[in-house]
Amino acid sequence: MTLSCRSWKLTLETGKVNSGACALVERGKKGATLIGHSEQVAVSTNKEIDSQIPNYPSLPPQLICQLHNVTMHADVETDEVYAQMTLQPLSPQEQKDPYFPNDLEKVFPPLDFSQQPPVQELVARDLHGNEWKFRHIFRGQPKRHLLTTGWSIFVSAKRLVAGDSVLFIWNENNQLLLAAHAAATNSRFTIFYNPRASPSEFVIPLAKYVKAVYHTRVSVGLRFRMLFETEESSVRRYMGTITGISDLDPARWPNSHWRSLKVGWDESTAGEKQPRVSLWEIEPLTTFPMYPSSFPLGPKRPWPTGLPFFHGGNDDISLNSPLMRLRDGGNPAIQSLNFRGVLQEMRTIDPTKQREQAQSQQSFLQATQDNQSGLFVKVYKSDSFGRTLDMTKFSSYHELRSELGCLFGLEGQLEDPLRSGWQLVFVDRENDVLLVGDDPWQEFRVHEVLEAIRVEVLLFKGLFEMDCLNLGWKSDGFRGQRQSDCCATETNIMPLTKVIRHIHGCLQKSARGKSYQNSQPCSEREMKANRSQSFMEMKK
Amino acid sequence: MTLSCRSWKLTLETGKVNSGACALVERGKKGATLIGHSEQVAVSTNKEIDSQIPNYPSLPPQLICQLHNVTMHADVETDEVYAQMTLQPLSPQEQKDPYFPNDLEKVFPPLDFSQQPPVQELVARDLHGNEWKFRHIFRGQPKRHLLTTGWSIFVSAKRLVAGDSVLFIWNENNQLLLAAHAAATNSRFTIFYNPRASPSEFVIPLAKYVKAVYHTRVSVGLRFRMLFETEESSVRRYMGTITGISDLDPARWPNSHWRSLKVGWDESTAGEKQPRVSLWEIEPLTTFPMYPSSFPLGPKRPWPTGLPFFHGGNDDISLNSPLMRLRDGGNPAIQSLNFRGVLQEMRTIDPTKQREQAQSQQSFLQATQDNQSGLFVKVYKSDSFGRTLDMTKFSSYHELRSELGCLFGLEGQLEDPLRSGWQLVFVDRENDVLLVGDDPWQEFRVHEVLEAIRVEVLLFKGLFEMDCLNLGWKSDGFRGQRQSDCCATETNIMPLTKVIRHIHGCLQKSARGKSYQNSQPCSEREMKANRSQSFMEMKK
DNA sequence: TTGTTGGCTTCTAGCCGACAA
DNA sequence: TTGTCGGCTAGAAGCCAACAA
């Protein structure tokens, strides 16, 4: 279940799961993978008791969860029906789903290989911002990454932050490198949902979410239909037009698809209808490019923006809109990237500055369009200052690359990105990172550059540490139980282009996957056996 | 500062304390001991961001804290001024205050003295309900109580629940035995207060609180004055009448004095005034029995109901009203007890049952009053079922005791409570536990029994383990620092009557007190010195 | 009465490559 | 490729009575 974690009232499950009527089975069967979103029940109902919503500062906008249980309740005072749901974040293994790429990115901070063996202190952070330190070492035969020290403290303290099975690892530049979904024991949480308090659909199947978010192109002006249940439980269709696309709460929950569409309704009677809806609630009237369901998965797949693994949600740079713009299929290169890590490394400008820049750039573009003298964009090299470039001067990618190479002292290197490591990319107004060169030049110049106001062309050479850490929980830390090292997969240091190809490759081998298994705690009995054995040996 | 912990927006203080203007200095100087209360800012302001209020299930309604810092801020959007306060729970030592009895009760679960030395696993719980296990042993020369094992885990994990410096220890009957206020390091927390959002005074001096709560008799019908600040910052008096006394939120915060008075206002212009106020906000017009300030503290002092140490707040039985009913002074016996531990041992009935019982009893009393045939009350012995008793049959306490002794097989024992350990008490509708026998019989029979609907007479023989545990924090758990045992004072096992006399004694020696000192963490330097020393010795 | 110390023991937690699945 | 094991070690954590304040 993917949760757009707006304002869940999270309560830790204290005991056994209740059984009861499952009113939400129609939308997603118990045990099925679902997507859920929430409103602030408290604010809507003005009920004191509902407003005790904890604030997890680093909670990402999406968590992939499984629905375990739904029970229905009625408010004693108002008789309003509400649902209680038990959710459990999915492990990476469980997230293997035809709709998602299987291989989630695996990232480590860079190791100093001059040491033998290479060791580092790995600092991870949980949803509450607590720091957890682990010793990360690269040793063994064959060589492997191990997290040794740190588990016992983490495990013994973990019960205090029950519900936390996610660790985030950041590098020194505050980039999110890794999110380790650990085993789901003790991580269930319960949600209370009052359907009257939230105008939008609350729980929907994951399939519906994925189809809407990744396989539907929406844009301002798009006409759509939307179903509403009437008071008499019958269904009616209302027509409307998309008037805007933006995060409902960009500051707190950037990248949440939850009610990201501003809409206008055709009928005046629909005046009370909510002014914002979610992608999956509407039926677009133009059947614009959607993936045919028979279409093979693989290269044509865009990088899934909504994945929780790249949205820590606790830094300043927001990905304003997560909507993927799909291109024509068949192109083997992945053209659209929305990779927070990349993004952050490329833009170390603080938000205020960024906003100012966007504004000045907007007026600048406005001006240039008025006098038709040129089409200026700013270009940046990742380690130097930006420059202004008139796009009308160029008639091909080659010319552009050549000029940029001169400007930044990278003569020739842009022509061979795979070897040089320098890759020309641009960031559109939706903060998607796109490779320069895949679209025909004219289309790129006119469409891509003109379309967006905040187009920026960037030169980028980034090193990325990849591969997903396979973190299982350690044993439960009971006395006498053994704490063994935790093994993790290898760190790959590679330039952006390789990252892209790597992602590409990952998408292709979608069906195959590694096994994510949690370490089994050693039983008390076994431990005792071990002890008496060594005792016997000593006596000999 | 005593906090009626309604719905603080608690945020952990991450860094240094801000300095700034202290607008609240008029009401309580920085550093002074104050009492604060809060409303749900979120509900009042309808602001989403304010409603993220964590729910601490076991947070008692009062915490005694000290105000460290107040800074004023203004909301960026609305320009509303709000205050940020840094609070710190007081240690037992710091709580020594002329208004409070100095000797807080010291309680341990019973030790099995057949073992030599007696050892037990002590389970404590913090405000979040997390369990902490310690090894409790009684050894040394002279014998003393020590908590040995358990500190390192607690200390290393404590950072996760910063702000928690209170541990509660319960016995197997779910009685609160002990609340250990540990040293305040790392336990500061910050409160944001929006005065516009809460109609009631937010921060008031502790003295004002104590005077209002413990030394003022209020009752329904009482006329009072109350000051209001007008828009022009001048002051006006409004008149009103108390129309009810009840907890604002009996379920979540029983025993909070926060806005416990329902009031009606005289002037129609006062219509917008809040319908509930707190005790300390009003000036009663009848100067009904209040302690003259020169009156010696001691025997006449009722057991302070509002003390945090007996209100864990996380069980089902609520002390519905905390208002003390004061009797005439000069009687050396403490007549009013509101001792959660006592109460719980005596009433193991679950709340639903209790409610049913109260209802049936109500109708029963109604019926008997109609036909005037008797005055029936239920009597209970702590280890057997209740029986119904007609109070009109008795003409003296002696007859009542005699009959009860027969009923429960305690012939003669009720006459000598100090020796037998059996004490006749009753619980009034405010759940106060009162000794039977201190009022004249007629007054008792008519006034006490008839006054309340839910009068219950109980026989009680309870063993209480007393004396306050002197728990200091261990050193901060840094590697290389020594974790030494924690010493605690002795366990006293005594019957209820002795408990009462003990409390009595405690109240008398109000000024004298034991020292509650926290253990000082061993410094890194000292530790190193120690090590090198022993290393040198080894070399010799 | 109680905090601290020295000296001691216990044993967790950690470390490591081997090995097998 | 990765989970677990045996064997090992360092050092934290614990234990205790003595002592001093």
Side-chain angles (χ1 to χ4, degrees):
Chain A
M1 171 178 274
T2 301
L3 304 179
S4 250
C5 290
R6 292 198 50 78
S7 297
W8 294 114
K9 181 182 172 187
L10 296 172
T11 58
L12 304 178
E13 183 170 80
T14 51
K16 59 190 181 303
V17 176
N18 296 320
S19 62
C22 295
L24 298 184
V25 162
E26 327 151 23
R27 297 173 200 144
K29 289 206 182 68
K30 178 178 166 183
T33 308
L34 301 171
I35 169 165
H37 292 260
S38 97
E39 289 281 354
Q40 280 209 347
V41 179
V43 171
S44 312
T45 57
N46 282 322
K47 282 182 55 184
E48 238 180 81
I49 199 161
D50 286 324
S51 57
Q52 308 147 24
I53 298 159
N55 185 22
Y56 295 115
S58 334
L59 197 63
Q62 278 92 17
L63 278 179
I64 301 176
C65 298
Q66 190 179 22
L67 177 68
H68 281 278
N69 190 275
V70 182
T71 55
M72 302 305 290
H73 306 267
D75 186 293
V76 180
E77 290 175 27
T78 66
D79 265 348
E80 273 194 42
V81 175
Y82 64 93
Q84 175 178 349
M85 281 172 278
T86 307
L87 302 172
Q88 187 170 28
L90 293 186
S91 70
Q93 188 180 28
E94 292 168 316
Q95 289 176 20
K96 277 175 193 160
D97 183 285
Y99 290 101
F100 281 101
N102 291 348
D103 294 77
L104 303 158
E105 285 316 298
K106 309 166 182 185
V107 195
F108 268 124
L111 265 177
D112 175 12
F113 282 91
S114 64
Q115 304 175 56
Q116 211 37 252
V119 196
Q120 74 181 168
E121 187 184 55
L122 197 60
V123 179
R125 222 177 280 268
D126 64 21
L127 294 179
H128 303 269
N130 299 312
E131 280 194 356
W132 301 100
K133 287 175 182 165
F134 299 93
R135 182 167 175 264
H136 171 205
I137 191 169
F138 185 66
R139 60 163 171 83
Q141 199 46 256
K143 289 273 189 294
R144 78 193 86 178
H145 292 265
L146 294 165
L147 303 194
T148 56
T149 314
W151 286 106
S152 64
I153 289 175
F154 177 68
V155 168
S156 75
K158 159 171 86 74
R159 64 196 173 96
L160 297 183
V161 280
D164 266 4
S165 59
V166 181
L167 283 180
F168 299 96
I169 299 177
W170 313 79
N171 71 6
E172 58 220 344
N173 294 327
N174 213 28
Q175 295 170 243
L176 178 61
L177 295 182
L178 177 146
H181 253 225
T185 330
N186 291 334
S187 68
R188 287 190 185 178
F189 57 96
T190 303
I191 281 173
F192 294 93
Y193 167 58
N194 183 339
R196 304 244 169 177
S198 171
S200 289
E201 198 74 74
F202 184 69
V203 174
I204 62 161
L206 181 63
K208 192 174 175 181
Y209 173 87
V210 171
K211 185 178 169 192
V213 172
Y214 301 121
H215 301 164
T216 308
R217 183 210 291 255
V218 292
S219 58
V220 172
L222 184 74
R223 303 267 307 145
F224 66 92
R225 286 189 304 197
M226 187 167 152
L227 297 182
F228 281 92
E229 284 187 28
T230 64
E231 296 281 328
E232 304 82 28
S233 295
S234 64
V235 170
R236 247 216 74 162
R237 276 189 166 75
Y238 286 84
M239 306 280 287
T241 310
I242 295 177
T243 59
I245 304 172
S246 66
D247 277 357
L248 182 57
D249 187 339
R252 288 172 60 213
W253 298 109
N255 246 15
S256 168
H257 301 279
W258 174 249
R259 297 175 69 205
S260 61
L261 303 181
K262 291 184 198 169
V263 297
W265 299 98
D266 286 7
E267 300 175 52
S268 58
T269 56
E272 328 85 57
K273 296 263 168 283
Q274 63 266 35
R276 278 179 167 276
V277 298
S278 303
L279 281 169
W280 47 87
E281 293 180 298
I282 63 167
E283 303 168 36
L285 287 185
T286 55
T287 49
F288 217 8
M290 288 176 71
Y291 276 148
S293 59
S294 63
F295 208 87
L297 295 172
K300 302 119 210 162
R301 256 335 239 312
W303 181 255
T305 321
L307 275 183
F309 292 82
F310 301 105
H311 304 303
N314 60 350
D315 52 72
D316 293 321
I317 302 171
S318 66
L319 302 173
N320 293 323
S321 168
L323 300 175
M324 295 303 293
R325 289 185 295 142
L326 302 183
R327 317 294 187 77
D328 50 339
N331 187 328
I334 292 179
Q335 299 144 326
S336 176
L337 255 189
N338 194 333
F339 193 162
R340 193 174 199 78
V342 180
L343 198 61
Q344 288 182 347
E345 178 136 341
M346 285 186 292
R347 334 260 244 61
T348 46
I349 314 153
D350 73 327
T352 320
K353 219 167 167 182
Q354 203 176 323
R355 207 177 306 125
E356 285 169 14
Q357 201 173 67
Q359 284 174 350
S360 67
Q361 203 157 321
Q362 181 170 8
S363 51
F364 187 65
L365 280 174
Q366 210 83 38
T368 55
Q369 283 176 348
D370 282 349
N371 64 23
Q372 298 293 327
S373 65
L375 171 59
F376 295 92
V377 296
K378 281 244 174 191
V379 290
Y380 296 90
K381 179 163 161 271
S382 55
D383 57 355
S384 59
F385 294 106
R387 315 222 183 160
T388 304
L389 218 59
D390 182 356
M391 294 296 284
T392 59
K393 277 173 54 182
F394 311 109
S395 56
S396 69
Y397 281 120
H398 178 74
E399 284 184 26
L400 174 64
R401 281 194 284 256
S402 171
E403 174 68 14
L404 286 170
C406 287
L407 273 173
F408 292 116
L410 297 166
E411 288 84 355
Q413 299 195 48
L414 297 180
E415 298 297 329
D416 192 356
L418 292 185
R419 220 172 58 191
S420 72
W422 284 105
Q423 175 66 54
L424 199 55
V425 298
F426 73 101
V427 181
D428 69 5
R429 66 167 160 191
E430 287 164 346
N431 275 325
D432 281 348
V433 177
L434 302 163
L435 287 182
V436 169
D438 286 324
D439 287 326
W441 167 253
Q442 282 307 320
E443 191 179 322
F444 168 75
R445 215 204 59 179
V446 177
H447 189 259
E448 299 293 359
V449 177
L450 273 186
E451 182 194 29
I453 291 167
R454 292 205 300 112
V455 169
E456 297 165 16
V457 176
L458 295 107
L459 293 168
F460 182 75
K461 180 176 188 171
L463 290 183
F464 278 82
E465 308 87 328
M466 299 194 55
D467 256 13
C468 191
L469 180 63
N470 181 357
L471 288 179
W473 282 141
K474 311 304 297 177
S475 63
D476 264 345
F478 297 123
R479 289 185 151 236
Q481 291 191 348
R482 181 181 181 133
Q483 298 274 350
S484 68
D485 304 343
C486 180
C487 183
T489 61
E490 197 173 341
T491 295
N492 298 317
I493 309 251
M494 50 176 96
L496 175 64
T497 47
K498 205 172 162 194
V499 170
I500 295 167
R501 275 190 292 155
H502 177 89
I503 295 169
H504 185 106
C506 290
L507 292 176
Q508 284 186 315
K509 52 174 180 177
S510 58
R512 311 193 311 269
K514 303 154 195 171
S515 67
Y516 295 86
Q517 286 178 356
N518 305 311
S519 65
Q520 293 297 320
C522 182
S523 80
E524 189 79 11
R525 193 189 50 73
E526 288 171 321
M527 204 55 212
K528 280 183 184 163
N530 290 341
R531 282 204 194 126
S532 55
Q533 193 186 343
S534 47
F535 182 68
M536 294 299 278
E537 284 170 1
M538 278 178 69
K539 293 218 313 201
K540 284 178 205 166
Chain B
M1 173 178 274
T2 301
L3 304 179
S4 251
C5 291
R6 292 198 50 78
S7 297
W8 295 113
K9 180 182 173 188
L10 296 172
T11 59
L12 305 179
E13 184 170 81
T14 51
K16 58 190 181 306
V17 176
N18 295 322
S19 62
C22 295
L24 297 183
V25 162
E26 328 150 23
R27 297 173 200 145
K29 290 206 182 69
K30 179 176 167 185
T33 308
L34 302 172
I35 168 164
H37 291 260
S38 99
E39 289 281 354
Q40 282 206 346
V41 179
V43 172
S44 312
T45 57
N46 281 323
K47 282 182 56 184
E48 237 180 83
I49 199 161
D50 287 324
S51 57
Q52 308 147 25
I53 297 159
N55 187 22
Y56 296 113
S58 332
L59 198 63
Q62 277 92 17
L63 278 179
I64 302 176
C65 298
Q66 189 180 22
L67 177 68
H68 280 276
N69 190 275
V70 182
T71 56
M72 302 304 290
H73 305 267
D75 187 294
V76 179
E77 289 175 27
T78 66
D79 265 348
E80 274 194 40
V81 175
Y82 64 93
Q84 175 178 350
M85 282 172 277
T86 307
L87 303 173
Q88 186 169 28
L90 292 188
S91 70
Q93 188 181 27
E94 293 168 316
Q95 288 176 22
K96 275 176 196 159
D97 184 285
Y99 291 101
F100 281 101
N102 290 348
D103 292 77
L104 303 158
E105 288 315 300
K106 308 170 182 182
V107 196
F108 267 126
L111 265 176
D112 176 11
F113 282 92
S114 65
Q115 303 175 57
Q116 210 39 252
V119 196
Q120 76 180 167
E121 187 185 52
L122 195 61
V123 178
R125 223 177 278 268
D126 63 22
L127 294 179
H128 303 269
N130 299 312
E131 282 194 353
W132 301 100
K133 287 173 181 165
F134 299 93
R135 182 167 175 263
H136 170 205
I137 191 167
F138 186 66
R139 61 165 169 80
Q141 200 46 256
K143 290 274 191 291
R144 75 193 88 177
H145 292 265
L146 294 165
L147 303 194
T148 56
T149 315
W151 287 104
S152 64
I153 290 176
F154 176 69
V155 169
S156 74
K158 161 170 86 72
R159 64 191 174 100
L160 296 182
V161 281
D164 265 3
S165 59
V166 181
L167 284 181
F168 298 97
I169 299 179
W170 312 81
N171 71 4
E172 59 220 344
N173 294 327
N174 214 28
Q175 293 170 244
L176 178 61
L177 295 182
L178 176 146
H181 253 226
T185 329
N186 292 333
S187 66
R188 287 190 185 178
F189 56 97
T190 303
I191 281 173
F192 292 93
Y193 167 58
N194 184 338
R196 304 244 170 177
S198 171
S200 289
E201 198 73 74
F202 185 68
V203 174
I204 61 161
L206 181 63
K208 191 174 175 181
Y209 173 88
V210 171
K211 184 179 170 191
V213 172
Y214 300 121
H215 301 164
T216 308
R217 183 209 293 257
V218 293
S219 58
V220 173
L222 183 74
R223 305 267 307 143
F224 66 91
R225 286 188 304 198
M226 187 166 154
L227 297 181
F228 281 92
E229 284 187 27
T230 63
E231 296 280 328
E232 303 83 26
S233 294
S234 64
V235 170
R236 247 216 72 164
R237 276 189 166 76
Y238 286 85
M239 306 279 288
T241 311
I242 296 178
T243 58
I245 304 172
S246 66
D247 277 358
L248 181 58
D249 188 338
R252 289 172 59 213
W253 299 108
N255 247 15
S256 167
H257 301 280
W258 176 249
R259 296 176 70 204
S260 61
L261 303 181
K262 293 185 197 167
V263 298
W265 299 97
D266 287 7
E267 301 176 50
S268 57
T269 56
E272 326 86 58
K273 297 263 169 283
Q274 64 266 34
R276 277 178 168 276
V277 297
S278 304
L279 280 168
W280 48 86
E281 293 180 298
I282 63 166
E283 304 169 35
L285 287 186
T286 55
T287 49
F288 215 8
M290 285 175 73
Y291 276 150
S293 58
S294 62
F295 207 88
L297 295 172
K300 302 119 209 164
R301 225 51 184 300
W303 182 255
T305 323
L307 274 184
F309 292 83
F310 301 105
H311 304 303
N314 60 350
D315 52 72
D316 293 321
I317 302 171
S318 66
L319 302 173
N320 293 323
S321 168
L323 300 175
M324 294 306 293
R325 290 185 294 143
L326 301 183
R327 316 295 187 76
D328 50 337
N331 186 329
I334 293 179
Q335 298 144 326
S336 176
L337 254 189
N338 194 331
F339 193 165
R340 194 173 198 79
V342 180
L343 200 61
Q344 288 182 348
E345 177 138 339
M346 286 186 290
R347 334 260 244 63
T348 46
I349 315 153
D350 72 326
T352 322
K353 219 168 167 182
Q354 204 176 321
R355 207 178 306 124
E356 285 170 12
Q357 204 174 66
Q359 284 174 350
S360 67
Q361 204 158 320
Q362 180 171 10
S363 50
F364 186 64
L365 279 174
Q366 210 84 39
T368 55
Q369 283 177 347
D370 283 348
N371 64 24
Q372 299 292 325
S373 65
L375 171 58
F376 295 92
V377 296
K378 281 243 174 192
V379 289
Y380 296 89
K381 180 164 160 268
S382 55
D383 57 355
S384 59
F385 293 107
R387 315 223 184 160
T388 304
L389 218 59
D390 182 354
M391 294 295 284
T392 60
K393 278 173 53 181
F394 311 110
S395 57
S396 68
Y397 282 119
H398 179 73
E399 283 185 25
L400 173 64
R401 281 194 283 257
S402 171
E403 175 68 15
L404 285 169
C406 287
L407 272 174
F408 292 115
L410 296 166
E411 287 85 354
Q413 299 195 47
L414 297 180
E415 298 297 329
D416 192 355
L418 291 185
R419 221 170 59 188
S420 72
W422 284 107
Q423 176 65 54
L424 199 55
V425 298
F426 73 100
V427 181
D428 70 3
R429 66 170 159 190
E430 287 166 344
N431 275 327
D432 281 349
V433 178
L434 302 163
L435 288 182
V436 168
D438 286 324
D439 287 326
W441 167 253
Q442 281 307 321
E443 192 178 323
F444 168 74
R445 214 204 61 179
V446 177
H447 189 258
E448 300 292 359
V449 177
L450 273 185
E451 181 193 29
I453 291 165
R454 291 203 301 112
V455 168
E456 296 165 17
V457 176
L458 295 107
L459 294 167
F460 181 74
K461 181 175 189 172
L463 290 183
F464 278 81
E465 307 88 328
M466 300 193 54
D467 255 16
C468 192
L469 179 64
N470 182 357
L471 287 180
W473 282 141
K474 310 307 295 177
S475 64
D476 265 343
F478 296 124
R479 288 185 154 235
Q481 291 192 346
R482 180 180 181 136
Q483 298 275 348
S484 69
D485 304 344
C486 179
C487 183
T489 61
E490 197 173 341
T491 295
N492 298 317
I493 309 250
M494 50 176 96
L496 175 63
T497 47
K498 205 172 161 192
V499 170
I500 294 168
R501 275 189 293 155
H502 178 89
I503 294 170
H504 185 105
C506 289
L507 293 175
Q508 284 186 315
K509 53 173 180 178
S510 59
R512 310 191 315 267
K514 301 157 195 171
S515 67
Y516 295 86
Q517 286 179 356
N518 305 309
S519 65
Q520 293 297 321
C522 183
S523 80
E524 189 80 11
R525 193 189 49 73
E526 289 171 322
M527 203 55 213
K528 278 184 184 163
N530 289 340
R531 282 206 195 121
S532 55
Q533 193 186 345
S534 48
F535 182 67
M536 293 299 277
E537 284 169 4
M538 279 178 68
K539 291 215 317 198
K540 286 178 203 166

